[in-house]
Amino acid sequence: MVGPSIFDKNRLAGTAIPSPSMSEDNSDYDPDDPDCQLSGADLKKSKLMAARQVVLKLQAPDRFIWVVQETLREFHEAIINRGIADYLETYGYSQTLAAFSQEANVSNHDDKKLNGILEKKWTSVLRLQKKCADLEAKLLEAEKEINIGAPTREKRQPSEWIPRPPERFALTGHRSPITRVVFHPVYSVWDYESGEFERTLKGHTDAVQDIVFDKAGKILISCSADLTIKIWEFGGMYECMKTLKGHDHNISSVAILPSADLILSASRDHTIKMWEVASGYCTFTFREHSDWVRMVRIHPDGVMFASASNDQAVIVWSMGTKGARHVLRGHDHVVECVEWAPTGALPLVGANGDAAAVIVSGSRDKTIRFWDAAAGVPLFTLIGHDNWVRGLRFHPRGKFVLSVADDKSMRVWDVSEKRCSKTIDAHSHFVTAIDFHHNSPYVLTSSVDMSCKKCYEQKQYKIGLKCAKSILTIPQYSEHGETLAMKGLILNCMGKREEAMDHVKRGIRSDLKSHVCWHVYGLVHRSEKKYDEAIAAYKMALKFDSSNLQILRDLSLLQIQMRDLEGYKKCRYELLRLRPSQRMSWIGYATAYHLVGNYDYALNIINDYLNNNEPSTPLDAERSELILYQNMIRDEIDKELEMLDSLSSSYPRASLPRHLALLKAQGDDLRKRMHSWITNGLRKGIPSLFKSLIPFYSSPDKSAMIESLLLEYVKRVEEKGYMNGCLDADDSLHYESPTTVVWLYALVAQHYDRLRLIGPALKYIERALSHTPTLIELLMIKAKIHKHSGDEQLAARILDEAQSLDTADRYINSKAAKYLLRAGRLEDAEKMCAKFTRMRRKGERLQENVKASVSLTDMQCMWYETEVAKANRILGNYGEALKMCHQVEQHFVGIYEDQFDFHTYCLRKSTLCAYVRLLRLEDKIRDHEFYYKAAKMAIKIYLRIVDRPGDIWPEKATGDDKLSAAELKKLKRKANKEKAREAEKDKGKKEEKKKDKEKENGIDDVPIGKVLLMLQSLLGAHSIDPDHPLLHTAKIQFLLHYKTVSLNGTVAEIAKEAMDILFPSGIDPIRLNEMVKTQFKDSFPHRLAVYECSILIDPSSVSSVKSAIARSFDEKLVNRTLPMLTKLKDAVDYGRMGEWKNEEKDELVKMCHSLFRESTSFGGGSTPPTSNSEEEHHHSFE
């Protein structure tokens, strides 16, 4: 027996294998002889030779196997040890190498064939593991197919080809969901053998819904949502040969007859049209479906075709009779697709005979149904999909039918077995279409494409960037313009503005004629609110694709936003021309003409649309909106009294026609209408009656007419008593109720309050209150009168009393808070508002102690913010006042920007009246009362910061009193040095910026630039009111400044033209001041302006100005009102009337008090006057 001991395990590589007994064949062997040493590849040969010798000696097969195993084991151990030694030597582990070589008996002989053997063996192990995993997966798949009865790989014939995962290629490049895929009969647009993109055909302006080749593959027919069908020449220049138009809505499917002379198209307009290829004319229209026709497919012999529709029916049509042969119903939802079974499938489903025909349909009810088209009966149903079935395709030999659905899968159905043979997870999203190559084992599927554009629209920016990167990494597409532009758009949405603009510009440089690049360029500018540049980019995009609906829509939105009405009209015309069947196209075009002032044309457009489109329901809200819009246009054309009177007679309870007629009436007719309007309102007890009369107070004659009517009513009632008087002079049979008299006294009080006759106003309101002391409206009128008299404290107390009578009335609550703010009681006003403001939620708990002002700011309650700003300004809290003013300004900025969203919404919802009113409001949004108040207040505060900084930042104790004189001096010196250093830096920067700006504007001298800006402002004020007293003061200030500068050249010519308009009588300030003094000698505001200008011209004229002001109180002057006297006092405090002593100021207050005894500003009312020795709270003199 030969045992393991015959091998010396201590002798490894480089050592011969001894035999059990040495023969003559190896008698010359000497282990210590270097010539007998073996290495590398000779080692394997020597071992095999030794093994053969052993076998020859033993003559035993089993012992031969044992010897070979032991020999190979020793051989691999030698290689592994040498590989480890090589690894240690390569990476510099010298000490470890020495120890390992000694222990493993590894020689230092360098065998280059074994270099890196350790890494090679490791990678080979990984490859083997992967191969094993792949083989196990294939084995598992084969077992599964055998279990369910599918054909195995060994016996599969061309008739049994079915798809196997994974996919061979994933073809990317589209930027929207793919709606249809087909194989070319001869070759491919996408090369399915290499997976590479070959060509793009451009021409449609909206989503392409279906494509089909003719039998020879020479023409391609496509249909689109842009309502067109295009016929493309295929194989040569790839040009569009014909464009077919005729459908009124989205074209969803197209098919071509085997003879290639006729085309069938299905549309959302419920019709199927037949087109002649040669002429491009529509030869027939099939009308049987009652809803959107989703798909049309022609029988292989061309004698009939089938259609699927949203009406849940499949209709089989005859090409000969051009009528419906069978209407197949059975689906419970929209039928998405139909397919004709090939000849090989007919025997498998039991349809035999020459006329046999089978249709397969897929529906949103998740089922696939087989129909006998000849008999018009259902055959069987396949159930298995978990979502809408979107596409069907038969195997060319007919044994299988393949389906795709929104459950992201593709299923293979065995027609004869009537069951699903295989399910493949085809895509990561909805699968939309499928096609089977007619003679090659390839299946093509498409999905909702998650590419750049779709990811941008769905805000999946990271995925979009990955899609763009995958395209741009392809060498031939590294500078693909449209992909670069889309990547830039996504980056812009992620906030990377500079990088985004760089990518978009690169895209434009790469493809200057791409409408996509220019469109994206406009979108980026629009996001930065650079609307002019965005409009220019959109127009460039339209040069290369003039029929692109999306670009036209975006351009129209920006044009109406910027009020480019002529451009908007042209853009709406293009949209109407491209989409004449859409309602939005018509009403958008009508509003364009309405806004440019062409009312007749706008009415004609609306009439044409209404006449050609019958209402869908008896109560059609959209149609009602259009009729209201027509009336709005007619109302703007003409408001004749006769029309208003006819409306009043037709609708006697409607007050609006009568009030509009009242505004247009004149003379005796006005008095008659006024009498009817006032008496009707008094008898009904309408609290807001006086509001409707306010427009008449702009005319002294009309306000006098109102006063004579009211005093006549009072006389009639008081002469005959409450129960015997009547407001009508010729009616002695009817008497007025006591409530009528109460409202009459309230109306008279409001009338006198409007004229600022405080005494009569208080007299009549007290009469009304003596009758009904708890009537809230009367208390509000009384508070208003006291407010106008100057006693804000008493007015606030009266409103507080009124609010206590009805604590659930938000309006009274708001009024009370407003009056408290006018009285300077900010904390009380905050508490009053807190009664109706909600508490904020923090998590699941309500936050307590939240200020009402926070909620009011969130609700954009601008009356509160303006009143708080005014109160803080009076109290000297200028920072808080500015904060409130800027909050109001932000509200208006948001309101102006928000209109952008309504340009599309209002047209879509047909709310045209509200839309036009919105546009006109936005045109004058900055004229709103709240914006005007906030802006005016902020300007005054900023001017005060410049003129009197000590009022804004008074000196406060900062702990300096604790420092010694030396320390304080050192601290101030250090602070002054730092300020000087910073000022020097800022000065240099400002000078550089000014020089750059002046060079850009062409103005080299700063004073010259200021002169032109001043003239521009003066011209604007002059165009509004050339006789305003504030304008006179500004003119004098300009003339005094004008003397200090010298103008030359073009600037001097421009200034002279402006000054000729402003100063026709010359530019002498003294003469101009005297002219205004003489011209407006009876106007108190003009006198104040003249006095202020006298001090500006001659500061030594203060004493004469003081005397002139004192004389103004003895004369009868116009507009010597409480606000003007308050402004006089503020001007004195501000220093605009020169320097006044405290005694002189007190004397001025006494003179003002003699005219307005209830004003708290002059020592009257319910609060004592403020002494001049105390801290002054300044208003601003206007």
Side-chain angles (χ1 to χ4, degrees), residues 35 89 157 197 210 257 286 304 311 356 382 454 539 580 587 841 902 963 1015 1064 1068 1076 1103:
D35 296 332
E89 183 181 1
Q157 300 297 323
F197 165 77
D210 197 4
L257 265 68
F286 298 86
M304 55 183 172
D311 59 11
L382 302 178
K454 199 65 179 179
K539 289 180 178 178
I587 62 180
R841 287 189 174 274
F902 289 95
L963 301 176
L1015 283 171
D1068 183 7
V1076 173
S1103 58

Side-chain angles (χ1 to χ4, degrees), residues 420-434:
C420 178
S421 298
K422 192 171 188 176
T423 301
I424 299 173
D425 293 330
H427 290 273
S428 60
H429 215 298
F430 301 156
V431 190
T432 56
I434 184 173

Side-chain angles (χ1 to χ4, degrees), residues 693-712:
L693 301 177
I694 289 178
F696 300 100
Y697 282 86
S698 59
S699 170
D701 295 337
K702 293 180 180 179
S703 64
M705 181 187 296
I706 294 174
E707 183 172 347
S708 65
L709 285 172
L710 294 178
L711 293 179
E712 186 178 338

Side-chain angles (χ1 to χ4, degrees), residues 163 368 383-387 391-393 401-405 407 409-413 420-426 434:
I368 301 169
I383 300 175
H385 278 292
D386 300 327
N387 211 329
L392 294 169
R393 195 67 172 161
V401 63
L402 282 68
S403 63
V404 293
D407 59 7
S409 71
M410 173 173 61
R411 295 177 186 261
V412 181
W413 306 84
C420 178
S421 298
K422 192 171 188 176
T423 301
I424 299 173
D425 293 330
I434 184 173

Side-chain angles (χ1 to χ4, degrees), residues 661-707:
L662 186 66
L663 294 174
K664 292 186 68 67
Q666 300 290 336
D668 293 337
D669 184 38
L670 173 62
R671 186 179 183 89
K672 180 181 177 183
R673 292 174 184 273
M674 187 80 71
H675 168 72
S676 173
W677 179 263
I678 293 175
T679 54
N680 187 49
L682 291 174
R683 286 163 181 162
K684 289 183 177 180
I686 301 174
S688 60
L689 175 61
F690 182 73
K691 290 286 185 182
S692 64
L693 301 177
I694 289 178
F696 300 100
Y697 282 86
S698 59
S699 170
D701 295 337
K702 293 180 180 179
S703 64
M705 181 187 296
I706 294 174
E707 183 172 347

Side-chain angles (χ1 to χ4, degrees), residues 846-887:
L846 288 173
Q847 274 187 296
E848 302 291 342
N849 301 323
V850 177
K851 288 188 175 182
S853 58
V854 178
S855 296
L856 291 171
T857 300
D858 292 342
M859 293 187 290
Q860 297 186 349
C861 192
M862 287 183 275
W863 72 262
Y864 177 80
E865 291 169 332
T866 52
E867 291 297 333
V868 170
K870 184 178 179 181
N872 276 302
R873 176 172 155 267
I874 293 173
L875 294 174
N877 301 327
Y878 296 105
E880 289 295 324
L882 272 178
K883 178 182 175 182
M884 288 296 173
C885 292
H886 282 287
Q887 283 181 351

Side-chain angles (χ1 to χ4, degrees), residues 502-717:
D502 179 62
H503 277 79
V504 175
K505 288 181 178 178
R506 280 177 57 198
I508 293 176
R509 285 194 295 267
S510 300
D511 194 351
L512 280 171
K513 294 186 177 181
S514 171
H515 68 280
V516 174
C517 296
W518 285 106
H519 189 194
V520 171
Y521 189 54
L523 291 174
V524 173
H525 278 304
R526 190 186 77 178
S527 68
E528 298 176 356
K529 294 183 173 55
K530 297 178 181 178
Y531 295 142
D532 291 331
E533 296 182 19
I535 289 174
Y538 290 157
K539 289 180 178 178
M540 282 296 296
L542 288 174
K543 286 183 179 179
F544 306 113
D545 191 356
S546 59
S547 301
N548 192 297
L549 292 173
Q550 188 59 50
I551 301 175
L552 285 169
R553 291 191 192 103
D554 290 344
L555 176 60
S556 67
L557 293 181
L558 286 187
Q559 286 174 329
I560 189 62
Q561 179 80 3
M562 300 299 292
R563 300 302 188 268
D564 179 11
L565 299 181
E566 287 297 329
Y568 179 68
K569 183 179 71 174
K570 294 178 182 177
C571 205
R572 294 308 313 185
Y573 171 74
E574 289 297 322
L575 288 169
L576 177 62
R577 185 179 63 82
L578 293 171
R579 286 292 180 88
S581 61
Q582 284 193 349
R583 175 179 49 83
M584 280 184 61
S585 301
W586 286 88
I587 62 180
Y589 193 45
T591 54
Y593 272 96
H594 180 200
L595 293 173
V596 298
N598 195 335
Y599 301 117
D600 294 334
Y601 207 90
L603 284 174
N604 292 336
I605 295 170
I606 297 294
N607 288 330
D608 289 344
Y609 178 78
L610 292 175
N611 294 335
N612 294 322
N613 293 272
E614 295 297 326
S616 57
T617 59
L619 299 175
D620 192 341
E622 294 178 352
R623 191 178 183 86
S624 301
E625 286 284 349
L626 290 177
I627 294 172
L628 286 174
Y629 183 55
Q630 280 183 308
N631 293 334
M632 178 183 181
I633 299 175
R634 293 192 185 101
D635 184 55
E636 292 180 5
I637 295 174
D638 195 5
K639 291 183 179 179
E640 292 296 336
L641 279 174
E642 292 79 5
M643 181 189 71
L644 296 172
D645 289 338
S646 65
L647 289 173
S648 299
S649 59
S650 302
Y651 304 95
R653 300 189 64 179
S655 60
L656 181 60
R658 290 189 292 114
H659 187 256
L660 293 174
L662 186 66
L663 294 174
K664 292 186 68 67
Q666 300 290 336
D668 293 337
D669 184 38
L670 173 62
R671 186 179 183 89
K672 180 181 177 183
R673 292 174 184 273
M674 187 80 71
H675 168 72
S676 173
W677 179 263
I678 293 175
T679 54
N680 187 49
L682 291 174
R683 286 163 181 162
K684 289 183 177 180
I686 301 174
S688 60
L689 175 61
F690 182 73
K691 290 286 185 182
S692 64
L693 301 177
I694 289 178
F696 300 100
Y697 282 86
S698 59
S699 170
D701 295 337
K702 293 180 180 179
S703 64
M705 181 187 296
I706 294 174
E707 183 172 347
S708 65
L709 285 172
L710 294 178
L711 293 179
E712 186 178 338
Y713 300 153
V714 172
K715 182 179 178 181
R716 291 174 188 166
V717 170

